[in-house]
Amino acid sequence: MSRPLRVAVGGVHIESSTFSPHLSTAADFEVTRGDALLARYGWLAEPWAADVEWIPLVHARALPGGAVARETYDAWAAETAAGLAAAGPVDGVLLDIHGAMSVVGLEDAEGDLITVVRSVTGGQPFVSAAMDLHGNVSHRFFAGCDLLTCYRTAPHVDVWETRERAARNLVAALRRGQRPHKALVHVPILLPGEMTSTRVEPAKGLYARVPEIEARDGVIDAAVWIGFAWADEPRCRGAVVATGTDAAATAAAARELGEEFWAARDAFTFVAPTGSMDECLDQALIAVKDPARRPFFISDSGDNPGAGGADDVTFALERMLARPEIAGGSVRAVYASLVDPEAVAQVAGLAPGSPVSLRVGGRIDAREPGPLPIEGVLEAVADDPDGGRCVSVRVGGLSVFVTSRRMQYRELASYARLGVRVDDVDVVTVKIGYLEPELFDAAGDWLLALTPGGVDQDLQRLPYERLARPVFPLDRDFDADLTVVTGPSAS
């Protein structure tokens, strides 16, 4: 080709729980355009990418939350279409997305997005998607893409590697001038991410098979999606996609991985021991007598904002304050955190050490016990890049973190901003599922509390109505349809 390849880049990246009352709006998103968008990708100067004309569209990314407001999504879809139209003919499109976005009034948000892209570009340009393994691959989305890949680790430590792989595969395919063959197998399994960590089997072994299969002649990429359990949509289920230069090898790769995924279904278990919040507290208060098991972490998993929880359910906090050891101060504890900008505004201007009386939480997700009264001392005020203005209120031995924006306390620096070194704490309850790497390394011990919320780990408690059934483990006595659907896309 005598001219540089022209590749447009953009996407909307969010994971959405349809069981959470939180509504994700434009205010929840970090939006990049122009040079700032391209600056996200450090590999653009690599030799394989340097002679490509990269065309920025718009990229919007948010912490997981509730469904996206329709007007918010429509605005970015329209901007994407306008950007493609203004760019003129392109050879390819790189979609940098999550894959589990829900939009109010839409059944398949990413399927809609790829339709918007193709309505402008037509079928000739190649489209490559980089996704989270907790995304969903609908038939509509699969049909509109030429290359699809996803993370291979959970917790996700290969995010940027995955985006580069999606871009590299796209550029290589364009230079070959051959539309890739592709194959999809839907696997009727729906599991929470906390049962599918790649730290442990069977996910560890399943994802270890990906590089082996990808190395075969005729195969470009193989990817396994766990799917997203907290959206009530027909597309929510496991999926395997393979792409390649040889149709038979590509289909065989997808079939093999799909069958291995299905065969492992009964082996998936929670990544940590589980219990009710009270059961977890019982064990934690015994465990912290052993210095080797401190700090003891408890995951308030049902309201995990990293999966879409509202981030203000007060159930776990109430159970902590009901413990005399914590409320009385003989056990040092942290609760991280609740989003409540109104409560933060009431106290953030006071001097540290001031007595405070507040009602916190329960403003978005008002399930029992709802807004919780707390009385204590203002311990610290800090600005956090994720949570905005944040405060710590000390109640007995417990530091209660309250934030202005929804955030997940997954990095130790966020605790330190509020004056807490977790090594000095007995019990840390954090709104999270599996522990992210820094917390995992810091923990002396850990339990996963099966708490209520918009991302309840007990899927049997969720009021599904629109899932395609049967699906494991909600249904067990059925034979899986592991039909291989093949491509390429129409040009």
Side-chain angles (χ1 to χ4, degrees), residues 70 84 103 115 129 131 133 139 185 203 212 230 237 241 243 265 278 282 291 322 333 377 379 389 400 415 445:
R70 182 63 180 268
L84 285 168
V103 174
T115 301
M131 301 171 67
L133 63 82
H139 286 291
V185 176
E212 299 174 25
W230 296 295
R237 58 187 44 229
V241 173
T243 52
R265 63 192 180 279
D278 282 325
D282 287 342
V377 173
E379 196 170 39
R389 182 59 57 91
V400 181
Y415 294 80
D445 207 342

Side-chain angles (χ1 to χ4, degrees), residues 17 22 33 74 86 126 185 190 209 211 225 257 277 287 298 342 345 373 401 441 470:
S17 169
H22 176 260
R33 301 176 174 90
D74 283 347
F126 293 2
V185 176
L190 192 64
R209 296 279 290 119
W225 283 261
L257 270 178
M277 188 64 195
I298 299 174
E342 184 176 324
F401 293 173
D441 291 342

Side-chain angles (χ1 to χ4, degrees), residues 448-468:
L448 186 77
L450 301 179
T451 50
V455 289
D456 196 325
Q457 297 287 324
D458 186 347
L459 302 188
Q460 301 286 351
R461 298 194 297 211
L462 296 174
Y464 292 109
E465 294 179 352
R466 300 171 57 234
L467 280 183

